mmCIF file of all heavy atoms in Angstrom:
data_model
loop_
_atom_site.group_PDB
_atom_site.id
_atom_site.type_symbol
_atom_site.label_atom_id
_atom_site.label_comp_id
_atom_site.label_asym_id
_atom_site.label_seq_id
_atom_site.Cartn_x
_atom_site.Cartn_y
_atom_site.Cartn_z
ATOM 1 N N GLY B 130 36.451 21.636 8.040
ATOM 2 C CA GLY B 130 35.843 20.756 7.033
ATOM 3 C C GLY B 130 35.279 21.501 5.822
ATOM 4 O O GLY B 130 35.252 22.729 5.772
ATOM 5 N N VAL B 131 34.822 20.707 4.880
ATOM 6 C CA VAL B 131 34.339 21.241 3.607
ATOM 7 C C VAL B 131 33.205 22.244 3.813
ATOM 8 O O VAL B 131 33.178 23.319 3.228
ATOM 9 C CB VAL B 131 33.844 20.074 2.722
ATOM 10 C CG1 VAL B 131 33.416 20.594 1.354
ATOM 11 C CG2 VAL B 131 34.927 19.010 2.587
ATOM 12 N N LEU B 132 32.259 21.870 4.681
ATOM 13 C CA LEU B 132 31.073 22.703 4.864
ATOM 14 C C LEU B 132 31.450 24.079 5.418
ATOM 15 O O LEU B 132 31.014 25.104 4.899
ATOM 16 C CB LEU B 132 30.088 21.990 5.807
ATOM 17 C CG LEU B 132 28.740 22.658 5.968
ATOM 18 C CD1 LEU B 132 27.990 22.691 4.641
ATOM 19 C CD2 LEU B 132 27.898 21.927 7.020
ATOM 20 N N ASN B 133 32.287 24.102 6.471
ATOM 21 C CA ASN B 133 32.687 25.371 7.078
ATOM 22 C C ASN B 133 33.480 26.223 6.111
ATOM 23 O O ASN B 133 33.307 27.436 6.049
ATOM 24 C CB ASN B 133 33.487 25.111 8.353
ATOM 25 C CG ASN B 133 32.556 25.097 9.568
ATOM 26 O OD1 ASN B 133 31.664 25.928 9.658
ATOM 27 N ND2 ASN B 133 32.760 24.149 10.459
ATOM 28 N N GLN B 134 34.369 25.567 5.316
ATOM 29 C CA GLN B 134 35.148 26.330 4.346
ATOM 30 C C GLN B 134 34.244 26.973 3.305
ATOM 31 O O GLN B 134 34.431 28.131 2.931
ATOM 32 C CB GLN B 134 36.175 25.422 3.660
ATOM 33 C CG GLN B 134 37.404 25.197 4.541
ATOM 34 C CD GLN B 134 38.383 24.219 3.933
ATOM 35 O OE1 GLN B 134 38.179 23.765 2.811
ATOM 36 N NE2 GLN B 134 39.418 23.908 4.674
ATOM 37 N N ALA B 135 33.229 26.214 2.894
ATOM 38 C CA ALA B 135 32.292 26.742 1.902
ATOM 39 C C ALA B 135 31.514 27.906 2.494
ATOM 40 O O ALA B 135 31.361 28.956 1.863
ATOM 41 C CB ALA B 135 31.344 25.635 1.449
ATOM 42 N N LEU B 136 31.031 27.750 3.729
ATOM 43 C CA LEU B 136 30.258 28.818 4.371
ATOM 44 C C LEU B 136 31.106 30.067 4.560
ATOM 45 O O LEU B 136 30.645 31.191 4.340
ATOM 46 C CB LEU B 136 29.725 28.339 5.728
ATOM 47 C CG LEU B 136 28.595 27.307 5.680
ATOM 48 C CD1 LEU B 136 28.244 26.837 7.084
ATOM 49 C CD2 LEU B 136 27.361 27.898 5.011
ATOM 50 N N LEU B 137 32.382 29.863 4.964
ATOM 51 C CA LEU B 137 33.275 30.999 5.158
ATOM 52 C C LEU B 137 33.556 31.694 3.830
ATOM 53 O O LEU B 137 33.533 32.919 3.737
ATOM 54 C CB LEU B 137 34.595 30.535 5.796
ATOM 55 C CG LEU B 137 34.528 30.193 7.290
ATOM 56 C CD1 LEU B 137 35.803 29.490 7.740
ATOM 57 C CD2 LEU B 137 34.300 31.467 8.110
ATOM 58 N N ALA B 138 33.820 30.906 2.804
ATOM 59 C CA ALA B 138 34.130 31.461 1.487
ATOM 60 C C ALA B 138 32.959 32.263 0.940
ATOM 61 O O ALA B 138 33.128 33.295 0.311
ATOM 62 C CB ALA B 138 34.513 30.343 0.519
ATOM 63 N N LEU B 139 31.730 31.768 1.210
ATOM 64 C CA LEU B 139 30.543 32.465 0.722
ATOM 65 C C LEU B 139 30.179 33.646 1.610
ATOM 66 O O LEU B 139 29.274 34.407 1.307
ATOM 67 C CB LEU B 139 29.350 31.498 0.664
ATOM 68 C CG LEU B 139 29.429 30.430 -0.432
ATOM 69 C CD1 LEU B 139 28.354 29.374 -0.226
ATOM 70 C CD2 LEU B 139 29.289 31.063 -1.813
ATOM 71 N N GLY B 140 30.903 33.780 2.719
ATOM 72 C CA GLY B 140 30.632 34.883 3.629
ATOM 73 C C GLY B 140 29.352 34.717 4.426
ATOM 74 O O GLY B 140 28.792 35.668 4.948
ATOM 75 N N LEU B 141 28.838 33.506 4.486
ATOM 76 C CA LEU B 141 27.588 33.269 5.215
ATOM 77 C C LEU B 141 27.829 33.213 6.729
ATOM 78 O O LEU B 141 26.902 33.321 7.508
ATOM 79 C CB LEU B 141 26.935 31.969 4.732
ATOM 80 C CG LEU B 141 26.393 32.023 3.296
ATOM 81 C CD1 LEU B 141 25.958 30.648 2.830
ATOM 82 C CD2 LEU B 141 25.250 33.021 3.197
ATOM 83 N N THR B 142 29.066 32.981 7.108
ATOM 84 C CA THR B 142 29.398 32.967 8.532
ATOM 85 C C THR B 142 30.799 33.552 8.692
ATOM 86 O O THR B 142 31.643 33.411 7.810
ATOM 87 C CB THR B 142 29.322 31.543 9.106
ATOM 88 O OG1 THR B 142 29.818 31.562 10.429
ATOM 89 C CG2 THR B 142 30.132 30.554 8.284
ATOM 90 N N SER B 143 31.036 34.228 9.822
ATOM 91 C CA SER B 143 32.345 34.867 9.999
ATOM 92 C C SER B 143 33.301 33.919 10.728
ATOM 93 O O SER B 143 34.505 33.960 10.507
ATOM 94 C CB SER B 143 32.190 36.180 10.771
ATOM 95 O OG SER B 143 31.423 35.959 11.935
ATOM 96 N N ALA B 144 32.734 33.048 11.582
ATOM 97 C CA ALA B 144 33.584 32.085 12.291
ATOM 98 C C ALA B 144 33.081 30.684 11.967
ATOM 99 O O ALA B 144 31.892 30.495 11.741
ATOM 100 C CB ALA B 144 33.508 32.336 13.796
ATOM 101 N N PRO B 145 33.985 29.702 11.914
ATOM 102 C CA PRO B 145 33.525 28.337 11.594
ATOM 103 C C PRO B 145 32.487 27.837 12.593
ATOM 104 O O PRO B 145 32.589 28.106 13.797
ATOM 105 C CB PRO B 145 34.821 27.506 11.662
ATOM 106 C CG PRO B 145 35.837 28.357 12.306
ATOM 107 C CD PRO B 145 35.425 29.785 12.094
ATOM 108 N N LEU B 146 31.486 27.156 12.082
ATOM 109 C CA LEU B 146 30.424 26.634 12.940
ATOM 110 C C LEU B 146 30.904 25.360 13.625
ATOM 111 O O LEU B 146 31.664 24.583 13.051
ATOM 112 C CB LEU B 146 29.188 26.298 12.109
ATOM 113 C CG LEU B 146 28.455 27.453 11.444
ATOM 114 C CD1 LEU B 146 27.313 26.900 10.612
ATOM 115 C CD2 LEU B 146 27.942 28.431 12.486
ATOM 116 N N ASN B 147 30.441 25.194 14.851
ATOM 117 C CA ASN B 147 30.757 23.973 15.557
ATOM 118 C C ASN B 147 29.674 22.942 15.262
ATOM 119 O O ASN B 147 28.575 23.029 15.772
ATOM 120 C CB ASN B 147 30.809 24.256 17.057
ATOM 121 C CG ASN B 147 31.901 23.453 17.697
ATOM 122 O OD1 ASN B 147 32.479 22.577 17.044
ATOM 123 N ND2 ASN B 147 32.195 23.747 18.945
ATOM 124 N N LEU B 148 29.978 21.994 14.392
ATOM 125 C CA LEU B 148 28.948 21.027 14.019
ATOM 126 C C LEU B 148 29.244 19.635 14.573
ATOM 127 O O LEU B 148 28.341 18.912 14.965
ATOM 128 C CB LEU B 148 28.834 20.944 12.485
ATOM 129 C CG LEU B 148 28.205 22.183 11.847
ATOM 130 C CD1 LEU B 148 28.390 22.159 10.354
ATOM 131 C CD2 LEU B 148 26.732 22.290 12.220
ATOM 132 N N LEU B 149 30.558 19.305 14.635
ATOM 133 C CA LEU B 149 30.898 18.010 15.229
ATOM 134 C C LEU B 149 30.557 18.044 16.703
ATOM 135 O O LEU B 149 30.637 19.099 17.342
ATOM 136 C CB LEU B 149 32.382 17.721 15.051
ATOM 137 C CG LEU B 149 32.781 17.164 13.687
ATOM 138 C CD1 LEU B 149 34.268 16.859 13.664
ATOM 139 C CD2 LEU B 149 31.985 15.917 13.362
ATOM 140 N N GLN B 150 30.191 16.935 17.238
ATOM 141 C CA GLN B 150 29.837 16.818 18.652
ATOM 142 C C GLN B 150 28.647 17.704 19.017
ATOM 143 O O GLN B 150 28.510 18.126 20.159
ATOM 144 C CB GLN B 150 31.037 17.150 19.539
ATOM 145 C CG GLN B 150 32.252 16.339 19.146
ATOM 146 C CD GLN B 150 33.301 16.285 20.230
ATOM 147 O OE1 GLN B 150 33.129 16.799 21.316
ATOM 148 N NE2 GLN B 150 34.411 15.626 19.938
ATOM 149 N N THR B 151 27.806 18.010 18.024
ATOM 150 C CA THR B 151 26.546 18.688 18.334
ATOM 151 C C THR B 151 25.401 17.826 17.788
ATOM 152 O O THR B 151 25.601 17.012 16.880
ATOM 153 C CB THR B 151 26.435 20.067 17.666
ATOM 154 O OG1 THR B 151 26.400 19.871 16.250
ATOM 155 C CG2 THR B 151 27.574 20.978 18.042
ATOM 156 N N GLU B 152 24.223 18.058 18.353
ATOM 157 C CA GLU B 152 23.071 17.285 17.899
ATOM 158 C C GLU B 152 22.762 17.608 16.438
ATOM 159 O O GLU B 152 22.412 16.728 15.662
ATOM 160 C CB GLU B 152 21.850 17.596 18.773
ATOM 161 C CG GLU B 152 20.779 16.532 18.639
ATOM 162 C CD GLU B 152 19.556 16.833 19.489
ATOM 163 O OE1 GLU B 152 18.853 17.814 19.204
ATOM 164 O OE2 GLU B 152 19.332 16.075 20.434
ATOM 165 N N LEU B 153 22.941 18.878 16.051
ATOM 166 C CA LEU B 153 22.657 19.271 14.669
ATOM 167 C C LEU B 153 23.522 18.484 13.687
ATOM 168 O O LEU B 153 23.025 17.911 12.718
ATOM 169 C CB LEU B 153 22.886 20.783 14.499
ATOM 170 C CG LEU B 153 22.723 21.293 13.064
ATOM 171 C CD1 LEU B 153 21.292 21.134 12.591
ATOM 172 C CD2 LEU B 153 23.188 22.743 12.936
ATOM 173 N N GLY B 154 24.838 18.430 13.994
ATOM 174 C CA GLY B 154 25.745 17.693 13.110
ATOM 175 C C GLY B 154 25.367 16.235 13.029
ATOM 176 O O GLY B 154 25.361 15.630 11.945
ATOM 177 N N LEU B 155 25.029 15.663 14.186
ATOM 178 C CA LEU B 155 24.661 14.256 14.234
ATOM 179 C C LEU B 155 23.396 14.002 13.414
ATOM 180 O O LEU B 155 23.306 13.033 12.651
ATOM 181 C CB LEU B 155 24.459 13.830 15.692
ATOM 182 C CG LEU B 155 24.086 12.371 15.940
ATOM 183 C CD1 LEU B 155 25.079 11.432 15.279
ATOM 184 C CD2 LEU B 155 24.018 12.094 17.438
ATOM 185 N N VAL B 156 22.415 14.915 13.556
ATOM 186 C CA VAL B 156 21.161 14.746 12.811
ATOM 187 C C VAL B 156 21.419 14.848 11.309
ATOM 188 O O VAL B 156 20.862 14.079 10.531
ATOM 189 C CB VAL B 156 20.114 15.794 13.259
ATOM 190 C CG1 VAL B 156 18.935 15.827 12.302
ATOM 191 C CG2 VAL B 156 19.622 15.474 14.665
ATOM 192 N N ILE B 157 22.311 15.785 10.909
ATOM 193 C CA ILE B 157 22.630 15.915 9.482
ATOM 194 C C ILE B 157 23.201 14.595 8.952
ATOM 195 O O ILE B 157 22.775 14.076 7.924
ATOM 196 C CB ILE B 157 23.626 17.071 9.242
ATOM 197 C CG1 ILE B 157 22.958 18.412 9.543
ATOM 198 C CG2 ILE B 157 24.142 17.054 7.799
ATOM 199 C CD1 ILE B 157 23.883 19.606 9.434
ATOM 200 N N ALA B 158 24.162 14.037 9.709
ATOM 201 C CA ALA B 158 24.790 12.789 9.270
ATOM 202 C C ALA B 158 23.775 11.650 9.262
ATOM 203 O O ALA B 158 23.702 10.861 8.312
ATOM 204 C CB ALA B 158 25.960 12.447 10.181
ATOM 205 N N LEU B 159 22.974 11.569 10.305
ATOM 206 C CA LEU B 159 21.976 10.487 10.387
ATOM 207 C C LEU B 159 20.961 10.596 9.253
ATOM 208 O O LEU B 159 20.532 9.598 8.686
ATOM 209 C CB LEU B 159 21.249 10.532 11.734
ATOM 210 C CG LEU B 159 22.027 9.955 12.926
ATOM 211 C CD1 LEU B 159 21.253 10.187 14.215
ATOM 212 C CD2 LEU B 159 22.300 8.473 12.740
ATOM 213 N N MET B 160 20.590 11.854 8.928
ATOM 214 C CA MET B 160 19.593 12.063 7.868
ATOM 215 C C MET B 160 20.038 11.432 6.563
ATOM 216 O O MET B 160 19.256 10.787 5.872
ATOM 217 C CB MET B 160 19.413 13.553 7.643
ATOM 218 C CG MET B 160 18.062 14.058 8.034
ATOM 219 S SD MET B 160 18.061 15.820 7.866
ATOM 220 C CE MET B 160 18.376 15.996 6.140
ATOM 221 N N GLN B 161 21.326 11.633 6.235
ATOM 222 C CA GLN B 161 21.812 11.086 4.975
ATOM 223 C C GLN B 161 21.795 9.559 5.040
ATOM 224 O O GLN B 161 21.401 8.889 4.106
ATOM 225 C CB GLN B 161 23.233 11.583 4.702
ATOM 226 C CG GLN B 161 23.782 11.111 3.371
ATOM 227 C CD GLN B 161 25.062 10.305 3.513
ATOM 228 O OE1 GLN B 161 25.583 10.143 4.611
ATOM 229 N NE2 GLN B 161 25.526 9.795 2.399
ATOM 230 N N ILE B 162 22.209 9.040 6.188
ATOM 231 C CA ILE B 162 22.305 7.588 6.309
ATOM 232 C C ILE B 162 20.914 6.943 6.338
ATOM 233 O O ILE B 162 20.683 5.883 5.760
ATOM 234 C CB ILE B 162 23.107 7.235 7.579
ATOM 235 C CG1 ILE B 162 24.544 7.769 7.435
ATOM 236 C CG2 ILE B 162 23.125 5.731 7.801
ATOM 237 C CD1 ILE B 162 25.291 7.859 8.740
ATOM 238 N N GLU B 163 19.967 7.615 6.997
ATOM 239 C CA GLU B 163 18.645 7.008 7.176
ATOM 240 C C GLU B 163 17.688 7.329 6.020
ATOM 241 O O GLU B 163 16.607 6.766 5.940
ATOM 242 C CB GLU B 163 17.985 7.496 8.481
ATOM 243 C CG GLU B 163 18.877 7.575 9.690
ATOM 244 C CD GLU B 163 19.226 6.208 10.245
ATOM 245 O OE1 GLU B 163 18.774 5.210 9.647
ATOM 246 O OE2 GLU B 163 19.937 6.146 11.245
ATOM 247 N N MET B 164 18.077 8.262 5.155
ATOM 248 C CA MET B 164 17.156 8.702 4.101
ATOM 249 C C MET B 164 16.562 7.543 3.281
ATOM 250 O O MET B 164 15.353 7.531 3.035
ATOM 251 C CB MET B 164 17.858 9.717 3.190
ATOM 252 C CG MET B 164 16.931 10.472 2.253
ATOM 253 S SD MET B 164 15.602 11.327 3.114
ATOM 254 C CE MET B 164 16.346 12.911 3.428
ATOM 255 N N PRO B 165 17.364 6.559 2.872
ATOM 256 C CA PRO B 165 16.766 5.454 2.094
ATOM 257 C C PRO B 165 15.669 4.731 2.868
ATOM 258 O O PRO B 165 14.671 4.299 2.285
ATOM 259 C CB PRO B 165 17.943 4.508 1.833
ATOM 260 C CG PRO B 165 19.166 5.280 2.106
ATOM 261 C CD PRO B 165 18.814 6.403 3.014
ATOM 262 N N LEU B 166 15.854 4.603 4.188
ATOM 263 C CA LEU B 166 14.864 3.882 4.995
ATOM 264 C C LEU B 166 13.526 4.607 4.992
ATOM 265 O O LEU B 166 12.465 3.994 5.107
ATOM 266 C CB LEU B 166 15.354 3.729 6.439
ATOM 267 C CG LEU B 166 16.677 2.995 6.622
ATOM 268 C CD1 LEU B 166 17.017 2.872 8.101
ATOM 269 C CD2 LEU B 166 16.599 1.618 5.984
ATOM 270 N N MET B 167 13.569 5.939 4.887
ATOM 271 C CA MET B 167 12.331 6.711 4.820
ATOM 272 C C MET B 167 11.792 6.712 3.389
ATOM 273 O O MET B 167 10.601 6.529 3.148
ATOM 274 C CB MET B 167 12.602 8.149 5.291
ATOM 275 C CG MET B 167 11.429 9.093 5.156
ATOM 276 S SD MET B 167 10.007 8.594 6.140
ATOM 277 C CE MET B 167 10.416 9.362 7.713
ATOM 278 N N LEU B 168 12.705 6.906 2.439
ATOM 279 C CA LEU B 168 12.268 7.108 1.053
ATOM 280 C C LEU B 168 11.711 5.856 0.391
ATOM 281 O O LEU B 168 10.715 5.931 -0.325
ATOM 282 C CB LEU B 168 13.436 7.634 0.217
ATOM 283 C CG LEU B 168 13.494 9.143 0.087
ATOM 284 C CD1 LEU B 168 14.767 9.555 -0.601
ATOM 285 C CD2 LEU B 168 12.287 9.672 -0.699
ATOM 286 N N LEU B 169 12.346 4.721 0.633
ATOM 287 C CA LEU B 169 11.903 3.517 -0.079
ATOM 288 C C LEU B 169 10.453 3.157 0.218
ATOM 289 O O LEU B 169 9.660 2.978 -0.706
ATOM 290 C CB LEU B 169 12.859 2.352 0.185
ATOM 291 C CG LEU B 169 14.238 2.514 -0.469
ATOM 292 C CD1 LEU B 169 15.135 1.328 -0.149
ATOM 293 C CD2 LEU B 169 14.118 2.690 -1.972
ATOM 294 N N PRO B 170 10.058 3.056 1.502
ATOM 295 C CA PRO B 170 8.628 2.767 1.739
ATOM 296 C C PRO B 170 7.714 3.884 1.241
ATOM 297 O O PRO B 170 6.637 3.623 0.711
ATOM 298 C CB PRO B 170 8.514 2.625 3.261
ATOM 299 C CG PRO B 170 9.859 2.811 3.817
ATOM 300 C CD PRO B 170 10.822 3.155 2.743
ATOM 301 N N LEU B 171 8.184 5.130 1.393
ATOM 302 C CA LEU B 171 7.359 6.272 0.993
ATOM 303 C C LEU B 171 7.107 6.238 -0.518
ATOM 304 O O LEU B 171 5.975 6.396 -0.983
ATOM 305 C CB LEU B 171 8.081 7.563 1.390
ATOM 306 C CG LEU B 171 7.224 8.815 1.478
ATOM 307 C CD1 LEU B 171 6.070 8.595 2.436
ATOM 308 C CD2 LEU B 171 8.066 9.995 1.936
ATOM 309 N N ILE B 172 8.165 6.011 -1.281
ATOM 310 C CA ILE B 172 8.035 5.977 -2.740
ATOM 311 C C ILE B 172 7.152 4.811 -3.164
ATOM 312 O O ILE B 172 6.288 4.940 -4.033
ATOM 313 C CB ILE B 172 9.432 5.885 -3.402
ATOM 314 C CG1 ILE B 172 10.129 7.235 -3.338
ATOM 315 C CG2 ILE B 172 9.322 5.413 -4.847
ATOM 316 C CD1 ILE B 172 11.550 7.210 -3.841
ATOM 317 N N THR B 173 7.362 3.656 -2.516
ATOM 318 C CA THR B 173 6.565 2.471 -2.859
ATOM 319 C C THR B 173 5.080 2.760 -2.713
ATOM 320 O O THR B 173 4.276 2.437 -3.593
ATOM 321 C CB THR B 173 6.954 1.292 -1.947
ATOM 322 O OG1 THR B 173 8.362 1.171 -1.967
ATOM 323 C CG2 THR B 173 6.316 0.006 -2.419
ATOM 324 N N VAL B 174 4.710 3.386 -1.599
ATOM 325 C CA VAL B 174 3.292 3.674 -1.367
ATOM 326 C C VAL B 174 2.797 4.780 -2.291
ATOM 327 O O VAL B 174 1.711 4.693 -2.867
ATOM 328 C CB VAL B 174 3.052 4.055 0.117
ATOM 329 C CG1 VAL B 174 1.652 4.592 0.320
ATOM 330 C CG2 VAL B 174 3.290 2.848 1.002
#
Side-chain angles (χ1 to χ4, degrees):
Chain B
V131 184
L132 187 63
N133 268 318
Q134 280 176 4
L136 288 175
L137 285 169
L139 289 169
L141 291 171
T142 172
S143 50
L146 294 177
N147 217 351
L148 289 168
L149 279 183
Q150 308 199 3
T151 65
E152 198 181 67
L153 176 65
L155 181 54
V156 168
I157 292 176
L159 282 174
M160 247 174 62
Q161 183 239 357
I162 297 163
E163 317 287 1
M164 193 56 90
L166 301 182
M167 175 62 86
L168 266 173
L169 290 179
L171 199 56
I172 285 174
T173 310
V174 170

